[in-house]
Amino acid sequence: MKLLKPLSMLGLVAIPCALMLTGCGVSTTYVSPTITVDQITTSNIEEAINNAVLSVVSVYVEGNVSSGINGMAATSYSAGSGVICSLDKDAGDAYIITNYHVVYDENYTTSNGIASKIVVELYGSEETYIQTDMFGNGSFVYGSQVIECEYVGGSLEYDLAVLKVTDSEILRNSAAKQVEICAEPAHLGQTTIAIGNPLGYGISATTGIVSVESEYIQYSDFYDVIIRCIRTDAPINSGNSGGGLFDEKGRLLGIVNAGNDSAENMGDAIPVALVTNVVDNILYQHETYGSQKLSVYNFGAEVDGSNSTAVYDEEVGLTFIKEDIVVTAVSGDAAQNLQVGDKIVSVSLNGTDIEFSRAFEFEEFLLDVRPGDQFDITVVRSGGLFTFTITASNSSFSQVN
């Protein structure tokens, strides 16, 4: 790892946790939790790990870079993790989620900065290992059961990427499983299980709790990316990037993306609700337009959270935070109906009603809007509730790196 920059905020240092020859500082800002009412009445950590581990893969990538020595080419190697989000066992096909920083490097000589070789190994079939030469340079010795992957698409801004496996006999004959998604957001004190490929040694699990339900972290060395995450005290190491953070029923809470270099057992994972919206968007763009980019609906309403307050719900035994989602500026499609000062309460899209308690929930909802969609948005204005129907115009979408 290269030296990490100290952070200006909270004095913390953390790194995206792919196993690479690079590292990044991360600064954190506290964000309050989302409302959740999910209660886990029974659990079995052993059973959860034994199931969840079958949906996690080790990821190994390599790409050509310029060495800077007489312009000579060199090969860069890195290791991370991935989670199987869709699986057709009979066809030997799968989609796999990982972190963008696992497969991307701005120094790769490919036109899109994506590694030229990406392979995965399933749990129980891990044979790839790192060998080091006399100069300390590492490379991979690949196992006999590596599975070649195609890069489908991804986003630097959200640090997520989607890989595709097609017609794999290894996958057909494996015990691999499609991950089960947790329908509720993570809550404070919840048991967590981090499963990934730490240090490139193969898939393993660690346990902890959710210590912060939602915070923003900044990769200060990694392209100035700022991402909303769950903080956990489950040990996270280089190589865990792209792996899963699970609850005690083996359901996916998030995609692990960063570990802290100066604090004990302090790591982060991108919440599964955000992951799902980003991945669905990537797959839609790929299948509809053949694009490898994310496309986001620019609604035209800038929002901010205000009047934040903690609430303890005695029925579910959880503390959560609610805030008003206040419109601070309008343009584009939003200008047709919304006004500055409106408080957004809920939306209805494709028959699904979504109530909001935090500003980021509304912002992340926009990832799920497609060109031509109509959705109802309900706001509080002058003491009354008003509902407007919005049509997402084609011209209001833009690609996001």
Side-chain angles (χ1 to χ4, degrees), residues 257-298:
N257 65 314
N260 194 289
D261 201 20
S262 62
E264 185 176 352
N265 296 350
M266 189 170 169
D268 287 275
I270 304 169
V272 71
L274 176 54
V275 171
T276 299
N277 282 350
V278 170
V279 168
D280 286 349
N281 191 301
I282 290 169
L283 291 175
Y284 173 81
Q285 296 301 317
H286 176 72
E287 294 167 0
T288 306
Y289 305 109
S291 172
Q292 295 182 329
K293 297 284 189 179
L294 191 74
S295 181
V296 178
Y297 175 46
N298 301 314

Side-chain angles (χ1 to χ4, degrees), residues 87 89 92-94 122 147 165 168-174 176:
L87 177 64
K89 187 75 75 69
D93 298 344
L122 305 174
I147 302 173
V165 173
S168 168
E169 192 66 23
I170 295 172
L171 193 58
R172 286 192 191 94
N173 296 324
S174 73

Side-chain angles (χ1 to χ4, degrees), residues 100-341:
Y100 193 78
H101 76 259
V102 170
V103 297
Y104 171 82
D105 190 315
E106 62 182 354
N107 297 310
Y108 285 151
T109 57
T110 52
S111 59
N112 58 1
I114 300 300
S116 55
K117 181 174 183 177
I118 305 172
V119 302
V120 300
E121 285 181 328
L122 305 174
Y123 179 74
S125 302
E126 302 148 294
E127 299 173 346
T128 295
Y129 64 91
I130 303 169
Q131 67 176 5
T132 306
D133 63 22
M134 61 184 295
F135 301 105
N137 299 312
S139 61
F140 295 136
V141 176
Y142 291 105
S144 61
Q145 298 192 67
V146 295
I147 302 173
E148 296 281 346
C149 291
E150 169 195 352
Y151 173 74
V152 173
S155 170
L156 174 66
E157 182 171 325
Y158 292 96
D159 196 17
L160 291 167
V162 180
L163 311 176
K164 184 178 182 180
V165 173
T166 304
D167 192 24
S168 168
E169 192 66 23
I170 295 172
L171 193 58
R172 286 192 191 94
N173 296 324
S174 73
K177 293 184 176 182
Q178 178 176 315
V179 72
E180 181 182 355
I181 302 295
C182 184
E184 295 289 338
H187 58 262
L188 186 65
Q190 183 175 11
T191 297
T192 57
I193 305 165
I195 303 181
N197 179 25
L199 305 181
Y201 290 166
I203 297 169
S204 66
T206 58
T207 61
I209 62 167
V210 173
S211 51
V212 177
E213 294 88 337
S214 190
E215 67 178 349
Y216 287 111
I217 68 169
Q218 180 175 10
Y219 301 163
S220 59
D221 279 355
F222 183 63
Y223 317 113
D224 293 324
V225 172
I226 300 174
I227 301 173
R228 189 175 72 85
C229 294
I230 304 162
R231 188 196 298 177
T232 179
D233 70 348
I236 302 294
N237 298 285
S238 295
N240 272 104
S241 278
L245 186 70
F246 298 88
D247 69 7
E248 56 195 22
K249 288 186 175 179
R251 302 174 303 184
L252 188 68
L253 293 172
I255 296 296
V256 173
N257 65 314
N260 194 289
D261 201 20
S262 62
E264 185 176 352
N265 296 350
M266 189 170 169
D268 287 275
I270 304 169
V272 71
L274 176 54
V275 171
T276 299
N277 282 350
V278 170
V279 168
D280 286 349
N281 191 301
I282 290 169
L283 291 175
Y284 173 81
Q285 296 301 317
H286 176 72
E287 294 167 0
T288 306
Y289 305 109
S291 172
Q292 295 182 329
K293 297 284 189 179
L294 191 74
S295 181
V296 178
Y297 175 46
N298 301 314
F299 178 41
E302 296 181 22
V303 301
D304 195 11
S306 67
N307 299 323
S308 178
T309 184
V311 177
Y312 179 73
D313 189 321
E314 293 187 1
E315 182 178 353
V316 298
L318 298 175
T319 298
F320 58 86
I321 291 183
K322 294 187 68 173
E323 65 186 7
D324 293 332
I325 306 167
V326 181
V327 176
T328 58
V330 293
S331 62
D333 293 348
Q336 300 173 24
N337 300 109
L338 268 61
Q339 299 176 4
V340 172

Side-chain angles (χ1 to χ4, degrees), residues 7 9-10 12 26-30 215-218 231:
L7 303 180
M9 190 173 299
L10 302 183
L12 303 179
V26 178
S27 62
T28 63
T29 304
Y30 180 70
E215 67 178 349
Y216 287 111
I217 68 169
Q218 180 175 10
R231 188 196 298 177

